[in-house]
C-alpha cells in the first residue's frame, strides 16, 4: 500500500503521575513518576501518540526524561518533521545517524506507528503483524518493606489473575526472600529480577537460587554485559533472561551466539522502537529463544504499545504489562487496560486501540511545548 505520513506538528508534554505505592528495585525507587507524552499530528489531522519511558534518574539506562526531551527537540524532530514517511520502518533508518538514545527515539517512533495504523484504520497489533486476540500477563512486584507486605502483594496479584509473579532481589534480600516466598507459595510461577546487582563473584549465591524452581532470573550481572552472562548461564540451571543488556538487534545476536541467556525480555523503548523490537522478536523466533514483553511502569499509552507488540507469535511468556489499576488511580486512556483471567484482550480499534483521556492528560501535564514543521 502506498501511504504517506507527513508530520506537521508535534506536542511534547511532561506529565507527573503519582503511583499508588512506590516501586523499589535494587537501583532506586519511584513514586511520583514524571515522563513524556508525544503527540504527532499528520497533515491530514490524525494524531499518533507515544510515551517516553526514561526516568528522571539514569539508573536503569543512561537516558533521562530531560535527555530524551533534548534529543527529541534538537535532533530527532528535525529529522522527521515535514518529511514524507511511507512506513514506520523508515524512521529507525532515518534515526541511524544519531547514536543510541533509544528511549528518545522510541517516543517518536511509536507515535508514528500509531499514526500509520490509524491512517489505515487498523489496530496497531495488526500493523505490526500480531495475530493474538489476547496476551498473557504477569506482574512485577518491587522490593517491599516487610515480607508480610510482599505476601499481601502476591495475594493481590494472584487474586487479580496474573499468570506469574516477578519479584525484585538484591544482595541481602535474595536467598532469604525466595526461601520465605517458597514456604508460603511452593508452586506459584515465580521469577526474580536482579537489575544488574550481582557479579561473577556471587556465583555460589546465584547457584543456590537454582533450588527455588524459578522460571528464570532476570539480568543478574552488569547492565551492559553479554560475555559474563554466558559464563554464568553455563554454570546455572535457572534460565537467565536478559533485560538491560539487550539494546539492539546486534546485542540480541551476540547473546544468542554466546549462549548468554535462554529467554529475552523485549522492551521496545530500550531498543529504540517497535521496528527494532520486532526484528529482535523475529531473530529470537528463528533461534527458538522465547521472549516476553517487559514494562517500564508506563501509563496507558506506553502500555498500549507494549500490548500491541506482545501480539507477535513468539511472545510466548506472560509480560510485565499489568493493567491500569495496578499502578494508577486514573490512567490517561479510556477504556483503561484490564486483565481478565490473566489475559488482556486486544482492542479492535485503530492504532493503539484506546482513546486518549484528554482531561486526565491535561491535569497531569506540568510542562508542554509545540513544534511545527518549517
Ligand atoms: O527491570 O523490568 C525491569 C520497572 C522499571 C525499570 C525496570 C524494570 C521495571 C519493572 C516493572 O520490572 C514492570 C512494569 O512496568 O510493570
Ligand atoms: Mg528487568
Amino acid at each position: 500500500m502506498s501511504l504517506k505520513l507527513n508530520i506537521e506538528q508535534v506536542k511534547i508534554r511532561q506529565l507527573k503521575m503519582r503511583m499508588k505505592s512506590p516501586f523499589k528495585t535494587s537501583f532506586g525507587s519511584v513514586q511520583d513518576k514524571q515522563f513524556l507524552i508525544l503527540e504527532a499530528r499528520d497533515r491530514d489531522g490524525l494524531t499518533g501518540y507515544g510515551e517516553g519511558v526514561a526516568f528522571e534518574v539514569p539508573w536503569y539506562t543512561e537516558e533521562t526524561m530531560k535527555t530524551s526531551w533534548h534529543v527529541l527537540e534538537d535532533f530527532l524532530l528535525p529529522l522527521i518533521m515535514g518529511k514524507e514517511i511511507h512506513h514506520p520502518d523508515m524512521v529507525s533508518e532515518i534515526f541511524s545517524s544519531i547514536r543510541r538514545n533509544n528511549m528518545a527515539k522510541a517516543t517518536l517512533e511509536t507515535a508514528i506507528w500509531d499514526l500509520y495504523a490509524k491512517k489505515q484504520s487498523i489496530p496497531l497489533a495488526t500493523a505490526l503483524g500480531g495475530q493474538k486476540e489476547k496476551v498473557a500477563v504477569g506482574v512485577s512486584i518491587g522490593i517491599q518493606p516487610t515480607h508480610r507486605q510482599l505476601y499481601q502483594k502476591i495475594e493481590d496479584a494472584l487474586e487479580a489473575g496474573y499468570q506469574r509473579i516477578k519479584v525484585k532481589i538484591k544482595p541481602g534480600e535474595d536467598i532469604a526472600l525466595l526461601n520465605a516466598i517458597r514456604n508460603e507459595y511452593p508452586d506459584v510461577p515465580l521469577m526474580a529480577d536482579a537489575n544488574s546487582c550481582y557479579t561473577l563473584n556471587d556465583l555460589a549465591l546465584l547457584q543456590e537460587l537454582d533450588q527455588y524452581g524459578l522460571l528464570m532470573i532476570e539480568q543478574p550481572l552488569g547492565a551492559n554485559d553479554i560475555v559474563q552472562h554466558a559464563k554464568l548461564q553455563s554454570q546455572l540451571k535457572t534460565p537467565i533472561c536478559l533485560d538491560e543488556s539487550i539494546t539492539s538487534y546486534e546485542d540480541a545476536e551476540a547473546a544468542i551466539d554466546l549462549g548468554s541467556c535462554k529467554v529475552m525480555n523485549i522492551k521496545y523503548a530500550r531498543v529504540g522502537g517497535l521496528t527494532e523490537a520486532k526484528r529482535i522478536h523475529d531473530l529470537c523466533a528463528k533461534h527458538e529463544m522465547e521472549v516476553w514483553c517487559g514494562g517500564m511502569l508506563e501509563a496507558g499509552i506506553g502500555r498500549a504499545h507494549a500490548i500491541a507488540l506482545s501480539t507477535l507469535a513468539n511472545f510466548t511468556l506472560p509480560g510485565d504489562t499489568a493493567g491500569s489499576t495496578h499502578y494508577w488511580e486514573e490512567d490517561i486512556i479510556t477504556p483503561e487496560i484490564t486483565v481478565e483471567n490473566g489475559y488482556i484482550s486486544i482492542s479492535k480499534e485503530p492504532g493503539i486501540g484506546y482513546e486518549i483521556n484528554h482531561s486526565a492528560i491535561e491535569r497531569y501535564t506540568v510542562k508542554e511545548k509545540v513544534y511545527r514543521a518549517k
Side-chain angles (χ1 to χ4, degrees):
M1 183 185 305
S2 160
L3 188 146
K4 282 182 209 143
L5 299 172
N6 195 322
I7 294 172
E8 64 163 19
Q9 184 184 300
V10 164
K11 184 186 272 186
I12 299 181
R13 296 169 182 270
Q14 178 176 325
L15 269 62
K16 183 174 181 180
M17 274 171 81
R18 170 149 272 238
M19 305 180 75
K20 285 181 174 171
S21 54
F23 190 87
K24 191 173 168 210
T25 68
S26 62
F27 54 72
S29 180
V30 201
Q31 179 154 28
D32 286 306
K33 202 194 169 198
Q34 300 219 51
F35 60 97
L36 305 180
I37 291 295
L38 185 146
E39 310 175 5
R41 200 172 78 199
D42 184 68
R43 285 253 140 88
D44 67 10
L46 278 178
T47 302
Y49 293 86
E51 182 169 327
V53 306
F55 298 113
E56 284 177 270
V57 181
W59 44 28
Y60 171 76
T61 65
E62 68 279 18
E63 291 181 84
T64 68
M65 181 187 61
K66 282 189 189 168
T67 68
S68 287
W69 197 319
H70 155 58
V71 169
L72 279 160
E73 173 168 315
D74 293 334
F75 307 110
L76 303 177
L77 291 179
L79 286 173
I80 294 293
M81 295 187 70
K83 292 241 174 73
E84 258 182 23
I85 298 166
H86 302 275
H87 192 280
D89 287 349
M90 271 179 71
V91 175
S92 29
E93 265 170 62
I94 295 171
F95 287 169
S96 64
S97 61
I98 306 293
R99 297 269 181 261
R100 294 179 65 109
N101 289 286
N102 288 345
M103 292 179 180
K105 289 174 179 172
T107 311
L108 178 53
E109 195 248 20
T110 53
I112 293 171
W113 266 105
D114 180 28
L115 199 49
Y116 172 76
K118 282 177 175 155
K119 198 128 181 167
Q120 299 169 79
S121 300
I122 58 171
L124 174 60
T126 309
L128 288 165
Q131 308 255 324
K132 295 181 206 160
E133 299 204 333
K134 57 181 187 175
V135 298
V137 200
V139 77
S140 174
I141 300 178
I143 293 171
Q144 301 298 313
T146 64
H147 284 188
R148 182 185 285 273
Q149 277 158 289
L150 176 62
Y151 298 152
Q152 189 57 51
K153 293 260 180 187
I154 294 175
E155 291 292 334
D156 294 346
L158 294 174
E159 180 74 20
Y162 290 104
Q163 297 195 29
R164 63 103 177 102
I165 305 287
K166 160 168 145 183
V167 293
K168 298 285 187 178
I169 53 169
K170 65 176 194 179
E173 289 177 58
D174 37 38
I175 305 279
L177 182 87
L178 292 169
N179 214 10
I181 297 174
R182 274 303 184 219
N183 282 335
E184 294 286 317
Y185 308 95
D187 305 316
V188 81
L190 182 68
M191 59 176 289
D193 188 354
N195 287 109
S196 301
C197 65
Y198 299 100
T199 70
L200 276 182
N201 295 331
D202 301 308
L203 177 63
L205 182 143
L206 294 166
Q207 283 174 324
E208 265 189 73
L209 300 183
D210 276 342
Q211 64 187 294
Y212 297 110
L214 301 178
L215 298 167
M216 64 193 95
I217 178 165
E218 193 175 335
Q219 197 72 32
L221 309 179
N224 301 309
D225 171 74
I226 292 177
V227 175
Q228 295 194 344
H229 278 101
K231 292 187 183 155
L232 177 62
Q233 183 66 89
S234 71
Q235 297 177 77
L236 218 57
K237 288 203 200 77
T238 308
I240 292 177
C241 169
L242 288 180
D243 174 359
E244 283 89 331
S245 299
I246 307 299
T247 68
S248 64
Y249 180 90
E250 288 71 26
D251 288 342
E253 234 177 0
I256 291 168
D257 278 0
L258 294 177
S260 313
C261 59
K262 292 184 178 161
V263 185
M264 234 179 256
N265 163 338
I266 299 182
K267 294 181 183 171
Y268 66 80
R270 195 186 63 228
V271 303
L274 289 164
T275 295
E276 189 76 354
K278 188 168 149 61
R279 289 179 73 218
I280 295 172
H281 162 275
D282 295 351
L283 177 75
C284 288
K286 203 170 100 192
H287 292 274
E288 290 173 17
M289 162 120 20
E290 287 191 285
V291 306
W292 56 276
C293 182
M296 287 291 288
L297 312 175
E298 300 94 341
I301 293 172
R303 273 308 206 229
H305 283 285
I307 292 164
L309 178 66
S310 307
T311 62
L312 298 180
N314 192 41
F315 281 91
T316 47
L317 301 167
D320 273 349
T321 51
S324 298
T325 58
H326 185 69
Y327 294 124
W328 314 112
E329 293 294 349
E330 181 192 28
D331 206 342
I332 55 175
I333 51 167
T334 73
E336 296 203 338
I337 294 163
T338 54
V339 175
E340 271 168 60
N341 301 319
Y343 290 94
I344 293 170
S345 298
I346 303 305
S347 165
K348 299 204 164 41
E349 300 298 319
I352 58 171
Y354 298 84
E355 293 292 323
I356 302 303
N357 182 343
H358 293 285
S359 89
I361 286 203
E362 285 297 338
R363 270 179 281 122
Y364 297 132
T365 298
V366 293
K367 197 168 147 185
E368 63 180 65
K369 190 165 173 186
V370 174
Y371 303 85
R372 290 194 180 80
K374 298 229 166 56

